[in-house]
Amino acid sequence: MIKKIDISKALKLNGVVAVLTYNDIPGLNGFGIAIQDQPVLCYDKVRYIGDAVALVACETKELLDKAIDLIEVEYEPLPVVEDPLKALEKDSPKVHENGNIHLHTKIDKGDIEKGFKEADLIIENEYRTGRQEHAYLETESGFAFYDEDEDLLTIFCGGQYPFRDQIQIARVLAIDPRKIRIIDEPMGGGFGGKDEITTQIHLALLAYHTKRLVKMEIERDESIVFSWKKHPMILRYKTGVKKDGTLTSNEIYIYADTGAYASLGGPIVNLAVEHSCGPYRVPNTHIEGFCIYTNNGVSGAFRGFGVNQVTFAMESQMDEIAEKLNMDPVLLRRKNILKKGDETGIGSKIETSIGLKKILDEIEKHPLYKDREKNKIDSSEYKKYGVGIAISYQGTGLGVGLPDYGACWIEMRRDGGFNVYSGSVEIGQQMKTTLKLIALEALKISDEDKVFIITGDTSITPDCGTTTASGATYRSRRAIEIASKKMIDILKKEVNEIFNIPTDEIKIEDGIFKNLNDEKITTYEDLAEILYDKRRLPKTEGHFNFPTSKTKIPGAFGLPHYIFSFSGAIALVEVNILTGKTNLIKAVNLIDGGRVINKIGFEGQSEGGIVMGMGYALMEDVIIKNGEFLVKNFSTYLIPTSMDSPYQIETIPIESFEELGPYGSKGIGETTMVPIAPAITNAIFNATGKRIKQTPATPERVFFALHKLPEK
Amino acid sequence: MREFEYYKVKNLKEAINLSKKFGKNKRFLAGGTDLIVRLKDNLIKEENIIDIKNIEELKGIKEVEDEIHIGSLVTFSEIIESDILKKYSPLIVEASKKVGSPQIRNKGTIGGNICNASPAGDSIPPLFCEDAKFFLESTNGSRIVNIEDFFKGPGKTILKEDEILVKIILKKWKENEFGFFNKLGQRNALTIAIASSCIKIKKSDGKIEDIKISLGSVSPTVIRAKKVENILRGLKEYKKDEIIKICDEVKEEIDPITDVRGSREYRIEVSKYLVFEALNNLLNIRG
Ligand SMILES: Cc1cc2nc3c(=O)[nH]c(=O)nc-3n(C[C@H](O)[C@H](O)[C@H](O)COP(=O)(O)OP(=O)(O)OC[C@H]3O[C@@H](n4cnc5c(N)ncnc54)[C@H](O)[C@@H]3O)c2cc1C
């Protein structure tokens, strides 16, 4: 609780340009993608240790520390809400006035009691997952300035959705969004962590107040504390299954720690609910998801968006079922996987492509899986090898009822090349390369210099939705396709007019117009010159709405998804049973993302997904005690190094053709990571006979699962 | 980062004279891989930094009869590359390979590792097994201290205000000597030890003639597990159950803390197995 904020001493310090508090916010003192429950600058309460109370601008960076030390804030300590389960209790202190439950989703399908009665085996477990940090290479940073003559505020900042940032800033400053220009700089990684506001509003406030160029850079130890994390979840699963392996029922409770503010916690919990039964047919389900406020930092969007956690739980359940039924894990999955027309765990029909059967076929014949018993023979007395598998699926796009679209503008240039404007942003995922490849193909030219991609600038590019949910390539691709087709049609019409050749007798090969006899009519370059003289260089637009399901799930906003990507993983681990230290030795990722367009990008996503999934499985966890971060830098928050990465990684594309996708493709950004953690923990079980129900599977957790050395 | 005065000295004399002048209010700077990090985190109160990197007397690895002298400024990379050490003192080489990353090994020095006096300093357990001696110099002259007398606690040593670590003195390995260093970390590189163990054994006629066991990260300083050593000394047969039981005694000799890397309980339990793992690599332990 804030009692008093005194900035007078800081203001007196030479070189301090501005010190802003909540008093200096002209508009809404709040932000958040879903609801604006997070103060830009706190006024009554500080709900987590990364909350901002004052903004300071100095002439030099060195002065900042001094100025900040001079700000006096008097607090009255409030009780810390730490445990999400305790936060649910009636007499728990409240993080927000309305209580600690941000969202509670409940879904019933079939008859859960009947399902359990039909079951020959019921498996019940509680799982817990760690708090993963995105660990993007580049921390949050940007700069901004305000042009008084133009009355225009310009912000350069790496984000994932410049048009939404623009609106969030406008609300806080209470100015017309058109007076704000966001230029989204290509940045060093997002993984979902920069979907929400990072520095944008603070930059805007300072630039607006000081009328000067302002730069802000969050240092790593600040970044880890203030920024969003993957939701730690407590997952209670009770799964019923018949002797022959047919799943009958699933009763699931998901408790997600969203920290002090909502951000995207609600949709994330809903996605967890949607995917909680895995890619399987489960006729009877009762699923509840809770998104719970605590004082533990903040959780938000992160690669997988709630699906990592439930997949870890469900795939552990499947592994245990296979073990208890003495059934091959692939066979068990075969019996239950979703086929076109089947219902998912929340009762929505899947009507788009499914590559699951092919994934299982590939796993079954892969030597790493097929010869898994032989692999174990290499185990020494104190080092055990084991192989585990997992499969998963991930809805792409934002889901029902959320604006999800792509847009693109294309203009022909005087030199016969094209400018392609897209609102999707480059966040290190090779977006620009991918867009270029698509535009080259769609515009029927091969010279890379002829296509210029312009992304992420609210003043000159169209709104293209957020670069998230594995859907950016998909969205902008469709839009480029449409705009390109229009462009080609216009160009043919022009050729028809000028050269008097019927349009259906004109074909284009690598920027050259030809007639039916394969004779050259003209080229893009020459045509552009002619059109330029006539001041008629064409411009086209492409708009595309992301396909969503026609049905909605009552009580669960955004559900269901319509298009799904599928993936599977095989992991070979080595467990040192003397210490509990586990190494991932080999990993295979099998990904159904539809047709592969950018092969290097595809493999990059897969390999990155494996290593990030491995970090999630084995070491990554931001530990918070009593509201304090015990881990706030890369010296204690450990992510895998090249010495930890498996020495063999294989990526197998499973190209199930998605008719709705551009060139038959789907998204893969997230699904590459999702099955990795359960494949690893299942492999640990295979190696040691001990099941790890809490990630990360640190040496300590594995050690204590193994107790002592088996007494021989 | 707080402001400080920076001095670059050319020789040992200058360094100790200057340090005499500043007394407590100074720090030596070697590779800086500990000091700079702490400076940035405002954990260093001293206002004078004396850069010793250019002092020739602190450099180099030399053979002196049956001894090896390692200058305090010798980096981990130099240790790893040293033919003398590979031949006559391989444990320190193995331990140095486990330090940080290539960048840290290129900058970080053995002297800095010792004087930083972290219980997790990776070069320290092998030095305990070698019964290393430290050559110190101050305005009052020089002295040689045994490693067992040097450390007083985490970050604490017996170094006097104006005293500098000049070199580390090791005895060359003889025949029949074997060693093993194992470091348990949360990951395989660039990691601070959860616990580590180091063993040097001298064998004759198939029995353990002498043995030294040291453990890192499980007590306020690196320690020797002398009880376990005493039980093992003279042993001829290596039965698994018996050896494990003996290793269990190590619990009596350590006093670890809980931190983000691991709990006290884990450190206590795993220490025994680390020692066992090292022994298993050196002896023919049977079922
Ligand atoms: C990313 C990273 C990873 C690391 N990983 C490891 C690791 O795996 N294992 C490990 O053991 N350490 C590790 N360290 C710690 C550090 O690198 C080592 O302790 C290194 O040996 C310190 O040496 P230095 O030369 O850099 O010391 P400095 O930082 O220069 O000095 C350290 C301290 O010793 C004092 N000092 C230095 N030389 C002398 C001398 N001759 N006489 C008296 N006092 C002296 C200094 O005043 C200072 O207080 C790591 C550090 C970092 C930043």
mmCIF file of all heavy atoms in Angstrom, chain A residues 179-215:
data_model
loop_
_atom_site.group_PDB
_atom_site.id
_atom_site.type_symbol
_atom_site.label_atom_id
_atom_site.label_comp_id
_atom_site.label_asym_id
_atom_site.label_seq_id
_atom_site.Cartn_x
_atom_site.Cartn_y
_atom_site.Cartn_z
ATOM 1 N N LYS A 179 -2.549 10.406 -33.680
ATOM 2 C CA LYS A 179 -1.417 11.299 -33.362
ATOM 3 C C LYS A 179 -0.223 10.498 -32.838
ATOM 4 O O LYS A 179 0.738 11.062 -32.331
ATOM 5 C CB LYS A 179 -1.831 12.314 -32.282
ATOM 6 C CG LYS A 179 -3.007 13.169 -32.664
ATOM 7 C CD LYS A 179 -2.538 14.350 -33.450
ATOM 8 C CE LYS A 179 -3.708 15.245 -33.843
ATOM 9 N NZ LYS A 179 -3.432 15.917 -35.119
ATOM 10 N N ILE A 180 -0.352 9.190 -32.902
ATOM 11 C CA ILE A 180 0.724 8.338 -32.402
ATOM 12 C C ILE A 180 1.206 7.436 -33.521
ATOM 13 O O ILE A 180 0.410 6.789 -34.189
ATOM 14 C CB ILE A 180 0.229 7.459 -31.232
ATOM 15 C CG1 ILE A 180 -0.293 8.340 -30.092
ATOM 16 C CG2 ILE A 180 1.345 6.548 -30.727
ATOM 17 C CD1 ILE A 180 -1.056 7.565 -29.043
ATOM 18 N N ARG A 181 2.484 7.446 -33.739
ATOM 19 C CA ARG A 181 3.047 6.553 -34.752
ATOM 20 C C ARG A 181 3.965 5.553 -34.069
ATOM 21 O O ARG A 181 4.889 5.939 -33.354
ATOM 22 C CB ARG A 181 3.842 7.372 -35.767
ATOM 23 C CG ARG A 181 4.517 6.509 -36.811
ATOM 24 C CD ARG A 181 5.272 7.372 -37.803
ATOM 25 N NE ARG A 181 5.825 6.556 -38.875
ATOM 26 C CZ ARG A 181 6.602 7.030 -39.837
ATOM 27 N NH1 ARG A 181 6.898 8.325 -39.866
ATOM 28 N NH2 ARG A 181 7.078 6.230 -40.767
ATOM 29 N N ILE A 182 3.692 4.288 -34.276
ATOM 30 C CA ILE A 182 4.550 3.250 -33.705
ATOM 31 C C ILE A 182 5.351 2.643 -34.840
ATOM 32 O O ILE A 182 4.784 2.170 -35.826
ATOM 33 C CB ILE A 182 3.720 2.119 -33.068
ATOM 34 C CG1 ILE A 182 2.648 2.667 -32.138
ATOM 35 C CG2 ILE A 182 4.632 1.116 -32.368
ATOM 36 C CD1 ILE A 182 3.112 3.017 -30.781
ATOM 37 N N ILE A 183 6.628 2.689 -34.701
ATOM 38 C CA ILE A 183 7.481 2.018 -35.678
ATOM 39 C C ILE A 183 8.107 0.821 -34.981
ATOM 40 O O ILE A 183 8.862 0.967 -34.024
ATOM 41 C CB ILE A 183 8.557 2.975 -36.228
ATOM 42 C CG1 ILE A 183 7.857 4.163 -36.897
ATOM 43 C CG2 ILE A 183 9.467 2.233 -37.201
ATOM 44 C CD1 ILE A 183 8.782 5.222 -37.397
ATOM 45 N N ASP A 184 7.710 -0.325 -35.439
ATOM 46 C CA ASP A 184 8.128 -1.529 -34.765
ATOM 47 C C ASP A 184 9.472 -1.964 -35.277
ATOM 48 O O ASP A 184 9.604 -2.435 -36.399
ATOM 49 C CB ASP A 184 7.105 -2.623 -35.013
ATOM 50 C CG ASP A 184 6.815 -3.353 -33.744
ATOM 51 O OD1 ASP A 184 7.678 -4.133 -33.322
ATOM 52 O OD2 ASP A 184 5.756 -3.105 -33.190
ATOM 53 N N GLU A 185 10.459 -1.791 -34.451
ATOM 54 C CA GLU A 185 11.811 -2.144 -34.855
ATOM 55 C C GLU A 185 11.964 -3.658 -34.848
ATOM 56 O O GLU A 185 11.468 -4.319 -33.945
ATOM 57 C CB GLU A 185 12.802 -1.547 -33.859
ATOM 58 C CG GLU A 185 12.855 -0.061 -33.904
ATOM 59 C CD GLU A 185 13.521 0.430 -35.164
ATOM 60 O OE1 GLU A 185 14.758 0.505 -35.167
ATOM 61 O OE2 GLU A 185 12.817 0.711 -36.144
ATOM 62 N N PRO A 186 12.672 -4.199 -35.826
ATOM 63 C CA PRO A 186 12.977 -5.630 -35.743
ATOM 64 C C PRO A 186 13.668 -5.882 -34.416
ATOM 65 O O PRO A 186 14.512 -5.109 -33.990
ATOM 66 C CB PRO A 186 13.959 -5.853 -36.885
ATOM 67 C CG PRO A 186 13.699 -4.752 -37.829
ATOM 68 C CD PRO A 186 13.238 -3.586 -37.007
ATOM 69 N N MET A 187 13.271 -6.926 -33.729
ATOM 70 C CA MET A 187 13.821 -7.077 -32.385
ATOM 71 C C MET A 187 14.361 -8.478 -32.148
ATOM 72 O O MET A 187 14.056 -9.416 -32.865
ATOM 73 C CB MET A 187 12.750 -6.762 -31.358
ATOM 74 C CG MET A 187 11.576 -7.701 -31.460
ATOM 75 S SD MET A 187 10.414 -7.321 -30.168
ATOM 76 C CE MET A 187 9.129 -8.460 -30.561
ATOM 77 N N GLY A 188 15.128 -8.565 -31.087
ATOM 78 C CA GLY A 188 15.784 -9.832 -30.754
ATOM 79 C C GLY A 188 14.890 -10.740 -29.962
ATOM 80 O O GLY A 188 15.130 -11.024 -28.807
ATOM 81 N N GLY A 189 13.835 -11.206 -30.558
ATOM 82 C CA GLY A 189 13.031 -12.254 -29.936
ATOM 83 C C GLY A 189 11.855 -11.728 -29.136
ATOM 84 O O GLY A 189 11.928 -10.706 -28.458
ATOM 85 N N GLY A 190 10.729 -12.424 -29.249
ATOM 86 C CA GLY A 190 9.529 -12.052 -28.505
ATOM 87 C C GLY A 190 8.977 -13.231 -27.734
ATOM 88 O O GLY A 190 8.800 -13.160 -26.532
ATOM 89 N N PHE A 191 8.721 -14.305 -28.436
ATOM 90 C CA PHE A 191 8.155 -15.537 -27.850
ATOM 91 C C PHE A 191 6.865 -15.273 -27.093
ATOM 92 O O PHE A 191 6.493 -16.039 -26.207
ATOM 93 C CB PHE A 191 9.168 -16.211 -26.904
ATOM 94 C CG PHE A 191 10.494 -16.502 -27.540
ATOM 95 C CD1 PHE A 191 11.625 -15.793 -27.180
ATOM 96 C CD2 PHE A 191 10.595 -17.482 -28.515
ATOM 97 C CE1 PHE A 191 12.853 -16.047 -27.778
ATOM 98 C CE2 PHE A 191 11.817 -17.747 -29.113
ATOM 99 C CZ PHE A 191 12.944 -17.026 -28.742
ATOM 100 N N GLY A 192 6.198 -14.173 -27.391
ATOM 101 C CA GLY A 192 4.966 -13.827 -26.678
ATOM 102 C C GLY A 192 5.194 -12.764 -25.612
ATOM 103 O O GLY A 192 4.276 -12.073 -25.210
ATOM 104 N N GLY A 193 6.418 -12.637 -25.177
ATOM 105 C CA GLY A 193 6.731 -11.748 -24.061
ATOM 106 C C GLY A 193 6.604 -10.280 -24.380
ATOM 107 O O GLY A 193 6.573 -9.442 -23.486
ATOM 108 N N LYS A 194 6.554 -9.948 -25.673
ATOM 109 C CA LYS A 194 6.427 -8.547 -26.030
ATOM 110 C C LYS A 194 5.092 -8.273 -26.710
ATOM 111 O O LYS A 194 4.935 -7.282 -27.413
ATOM 112 C CB LYS A 194 7.613 -8.127 -26.898
ATOM 113 C CG LYS A 194 8.926 -8.171 -26.126
ATOM 114 C CD LYS A 194 10.134 -7.993 -27.031
ATOM 115 C CE LYS A 194 11.429 -8.153 -26.230
ATOM 116 N NZ LYS A 194 12.596 -8.266 -27.114
ATOM 117 N N ASP A 195 4.137 -9.177 -26.499
ATOM 118 C CA ASP A 195 2.808 -8.982 -27.043
ATOM 119 C C ASP A 195 2.111 -7.878 -26.242
ATOM 120 O O ASP A 195 1.435 -7.019 -26.781
ATOM 121 C CB ASP A 195 2.004 -10.292 -26.946
ATOM 122 C CG ASP A 195 0.818 -10.292 -27.904
ATOM 123 O OD1 ASP A 195 0.816 -9.485 -28.844
ATOM 124 O OD2 ASP A 195 -0.110 -11.102 -27.694
ATOM 125 N N GLU A 196 2.316 -7.922 -24.957
ATOM 126 C CA GLU A 196 1.762 -6.899 -24.066
ATOM 127 C C GLU A 196 2.658 -5.658 -24.158
ATOM 128 O O GLU A 196 3.746 -5.702 -24.725
ATOM 129 C CB GLU A 196 1.727 -7.486 -22.638
ATOM 130 C CG GLU A 196 1.101 -6.632 -21.574
ATOM 131 C CD GLU A 196 -0.356 -6.268 -21.842
ATOM 132 O OE1 GLU A 196 -0.553 -5.229 -22.497
ATOM 133 O OE2 GLU A 196 -1.269 -6.993 -21.390
ATOM 134 N N ILE A 197 2.202 -4.583 -23.564
ATOM 135 C CA ILE A 197 3.014 -3.367 -23.496
ATOM 136 C C ILE A 197 4.289 -3.637 -22.701
ATOM 137 O O ILE A 197 4.252 -4.300 -21.666
ATOM 138 C CB ILE A 197 2.190 -2.260 -22.789
ATOM 139 C CG1 ILE A 197 1.077 -1.763 -23.697
ATOM 140 C CG2 ILE A 197 3.068 -1.127 -22.298
ATOM 141 C CD1 ILE A 197 1.536 -0.939 -24.871
ATOM 142 N N THR A 198 5.408 -3.133 -23.193
ATOM 143 C CA THR A 198 6.628 -3.207 -22.375
ATOM 144 C C THR A 198 7.042 -1.776 -22.011
ATOM 145 O O THR A 198 6.616 -1.248 -20.993
ATOM 146 C CB THR A 198 7.754 -3.954 -23.094
ATOM 147 O OG1 THR A 198 8.052 -3.317 -24.348
ATOM 148 C CG2 THR A 198 7.382 -5.399 -23.340
ATOM 149 N N THR A 199 7.803 -1.134 -22.890
ATOM 150 C CA THR A 199 8.240 0.231 -22.576
ATOM 151 C C THR A 199 7.404 1.292 -23.285
ATOM 152 O O THR A 199 7.584 2.477 -23.040
ATOM 153 C CB THR A 199 9.705 0.441 -23.001
ATOM 154 O OG1 THR A 199 9.814 0.146 -24.396
ATOM 155 C CG2 THR A 199 10.647 -0.451 -22.245
ATOM 156 N N GLN A 200 6.508 0.873 -24.175
ATOM 157 C CA GLN A 200 5.859 1.843 -25.064
ATOM 158 C C GLN A 200 5.161 2.990 -24.342
ATOM 159 O O GLN A 200 5.342 4.164 -24.690
ATOM 160 C CB GLN A 200 4.831 1.140 -25.980
ATOM 161 C CG GLN A 200 5.429 0.162 -26.989
ATOM 162 C CD GLN A 200 5.513 -1.258 -26.457
ATOM 163 O OE1 GLN A 200 5.663 -1.475 -25.251
ATOM 164 N NE2 GLN A 200 5.436 -2.241 -27.332
ATOM 165 N N ILE A 201 4.345 2.655 -23.338
ATOM 166 C CA ILE A 201 3.573 3.727 -22.692
ATOM 167 C C ILE A 201 4.492 4.642 -21.889
ATOM 168 O O ILE A 201 4.357 5.869 -21.919
ATOM 169 C CB ILE A 201 2.473 3.130 -21.780
ATOM 170 C CG1 ILE A 201 1.482 2.326 -22.631
ATOM 171 C CG2 ILE A 201 1.745 4.233 -21.026
ATOM 172 C CD1 ILE A 201 0.347 1.698 -21.840
ATOM 173 N N HIS A 202 5.452 4.054 -21.208
ATOM 174 C CA HIS A 202 6.376 4.875 -20.420
ATOM 175 C C HIS A 202 7.173 5.801 -21.327
ATOM 176 O O HIS A 202 7.366 6.981 -21.025
ATOM 177 C CB HIS A 202 7.296 3.979 -19.590
ATOM 178 C CG HIS A 202 6.589 3.296 -18.445
ATOM 179 N ND1 HIS A 202 7.052 2.164 -17.846
ATOM 180 C CD2 HIS A 202 5.423 3.599 -17.812
ATOM 181 C CE1 HIS A 202 6.217 1.795 -16.879
ATOM 182 N NE2 HIS A 202 5.222 2.650 -16.846
ATOM 183 N N LEU A 203 7.609 5.275 -22.449
ATOM 184 C CA LEU A 203 8.319 6.115 -23.416
ATOM 185 C C LEU A 203 7.430 7.253 -23.886
ATOM 186 O O LEU A 203 7.846 8.419 -23.961
ATOM 187 C CB LEU A 203 8.724 5.272 -24.637
ATOM 188 C CG LEU A 203 10.006 4.472 -24.530
ATOM 189 C CD1 LEU A 203 10.094 3.490 -25.699
ATOM 190 C CD2 LEU A 203 11.218 5.393 -24.529
ATOM 191 N N ALA A 204 6.192 6.904 -24.211
ATOM 192 C CA ALA A 204 5.267 7.903 -24.742
ATOM 193 C C ALA A 204 5.021 9.007 -23.712
ATOM 194 O O ALA A 204 5.060 10.198 -24.042
ATOM 195 C CB ALA A 204 3.950 7.234 -25.128
ATOM 196 N N LEU A 205 4.808 8.595 -22.470
ATOM 197 C CA LEU A 205 4.553 9.586 -21.413
ATOM 198 C C LEU A 205 5.723 10.553 -21.278
ATOM 199 O O LEU A 205 5.541 11.771 -21.202
ATOM 200 C CB LEU A 205 4.360 8.869 -20.075
ATOM 201 C CG LEU A 205 2.946 8.471 -19.672
ATOM 202 C CD1 LEU A 205 3.013 7.610 -18.414
ATOM 203 C CD2 LEU A 205 2.064 9.691 -19.442
ATOM 204 N N LEU A 206 6.924 9.986 -21.249
ATOM 205 C CA LEU A 206 8.100 10.841 -21.059
ATOM 206 C C LEU A 206 8.320 11.761 -22.252
ATOM 207 O O LEU A 206 8.613 12.946 -22.084
ATOM 208 C CB LEU A 206 9.341 9.982 -20.802
ATOM 209 C CG LEU A 206 9.455 9.398 -19.386
ATOM 210 C CD1 LEU A 206 10.600 8.405 -19.294
ATOM 211 C CD2 LEU A 206 9.639 10.520 -18.352
ATOM 212 N N ALA A 207 8.159 11.237 -23.450
ATOM 213 C CA ALA A 207 8.383 12.062 -24.636
ATOM 214 C C ALA A 207 7.338 13.173 -24.696
ATOM 215 O O ALA A 207 7.636 14.322 -25.034
ATOM 216 C CB ALA A 207 8.325 11.209 -25.897
ATOM 217 N N TYR A 208 6.128 12.833 -24.345
ATOM 218 C CA TYR A 208 5.023 13.783 -24.399
ATOM 219 C C TYR A 208 5.239 14.901 -23.381
ATOM 220 O O TYR A 208 4.993 16.076 -23.650
ATOM 221 C CB TYR A 208 3.730 13.037 -24.093
ATOM 222 C CG TYR A 208 2.477 13.723 -24.560
ATOM 223 C CD1 TYR A 208 2.284 14.002 -25.908
ATOM 224 C CD2 TYR A 208 1.489 14.074 -23.646
ATOM 225 C CE1 TYR A 208 1.126 14.633 -26.340
ATOM 226 C CE2 TYR A 208 0.320 14.700 -24.074
ATOM 227 C CZ TYR A 208 0.148 14.976 -25.419
ATOM 228 O OH TYR A 208 -0.992 15.595 -25.844
ATOM 229 N N HIS A 209 5.739 14.511 -22.203
ATOM 230 C CA HIS A 209 5.958 15.513 -21.158
ATOM 231 C C HIS A 209 7.191 16.365 -21.403
ATOM 232 O O HIS A 209 7.169 17.562 -21.184
ATOM 233 C CB HIS A 209 6.100 14.826 -19.799
ATOM 234 C CG HIS A 209 4.825 14.757 -19.051
ATOM 235 N ND1 HIS A 209 3.935 13.722 -19.207
ATOM 236 C CD2 HIS A 209 4.266 15.624 -18.172
ATOM 237 C CE1 HIS A 209 2.887 13.943 -18.438
ATOM 238 N NE2 HIS A 209 3.058 15.090 -17.805
ATOM 239 N N THR A 210 8.255 15.730 -21.808
ATOM 240 C CA THR A 210 9.519 16.468 -21.904
ATOM 241 C C THR A 210 9.695 17.121 -23.262
ATOM 242 O O THR A 210 10.542 17.987 -23.418
ATOM 243 C CB THR A 210 10.723 15.533 -21.681
ATOM 244 O OG1 THR A 210 10.695 14.528 -22.691
ATOM 245 C CG2 THR A 210 10.657 14.866 -20.317
ATOM 246 N N LYS A 211 8.927 16.686 -24.229
ATOM 247 C CA LYS A 211 9.068 17.170 -25.612
ATOM 248 C C LYS A 211 10.481 16.924 -26.139
ATOM 249 O O LYS A 211 11.017 17.684 -26.931
ATOM 250 C CB LYS A 211 8.767 18.673 -25.717
ATOM 251 C CG LYS A 211 7.509 19.104 -24.988
ATOM 252 C CD LYS A 211 6.322 19.130 -25.931
ATOM 253 C CE LYS A 211 5.073 19.650 -25.269
ATOM 254 N NZ LYS A 211 4.419 18.627 -24.408
ATOM 255 N N ARG A 212 11.104 15.873 -25.633
ATOM 256 C CA ARG A 212 12.470 15.583 -26.079
ATOM 257 C C ARG A 212 12.582 14.130 -26.497
ATOM 258 O O ARG A 212 11.694 13.333 -26.251
ATOM 259 C CB ARG A 212 13.452 15.867 -24.939
ATOM 260 C CG ARG A 212 13.576 17.344 -24.670
ATOM 261 C CD ARG A 212 14.579 17.631 -23.590
ATOM 262 N NE ARG A 212 15.890 17.031 -23.854
ATOM 263 C CZ ARG A 212 16.906 17.148 -23.005
ATOM 264 N NH1 ARG A 212 16.759 17.822 -21.884
ATOM 265 N NH2 ARG A 212 18.056 16.595 -23.287
ATOM 266 N N LEU A 213 13.698 13.842 -27.109
ATOM 267 C CA LEU A 213 13.961 12.451 -27.493
ATOM 268 C C LEU A 213 14.271 11.659 -26.219
ATOM 269 O O LEU A 213 15.152 12.024 -25.457
ATOM 270 C CB LEU A 213 15.158 12.411 -28.445
ATOM 271 C CG LEU A 213 15.617 11.046 -28.912
ATOM 272 C CD1 LEU A 213 14.573 10.381 -29.793
ATOM 273 C CD2 LEU A 213 16.921 11.158 -29.677
ATOM 274 N N VAL A 214 13.533 10.595 -26.002
ATOM 275 C CA VAL A 214 13.722 9.805 -24.791
ATOM 276 C C VAL A 214 14.096 8.380 -25.162
ATOM 277 O O VAL A 214 13.523 7.801 -26.079
ATOM 278 C CB VAL A 214 12.412 9.719 -23.976
ATOM 279 C CG1 VAL A 214 12.693 9.151 -22.603
ATOM 280 C CG2 VAL A 214 11.752 11.058 -23.875
ATOM 281 N N LYS A 215 15.041 7.844 -24.421
ATOM 282 C CA LYS A 215 15.407 6.451 -24.664
ATOM 283 C C LYS A 215 15.205 5.658 -23.383
ATOM 284 O O LYS A 215 15.465 6.155 -22.292
ATOM 285 C CB LYS A 215 16.875 6.375 -25.087
ATOM 286 C CG LYS A 215 17.297 4.968 -25.367
ATOM 287 C CD LYS A 215 18.661 4.880 -25.995
ATOM 288 C CE LYS A 215 18.867 3.443 -26.359
ATOM 289 N NZ LYS A 215 19.995 2.782 -26.014
#
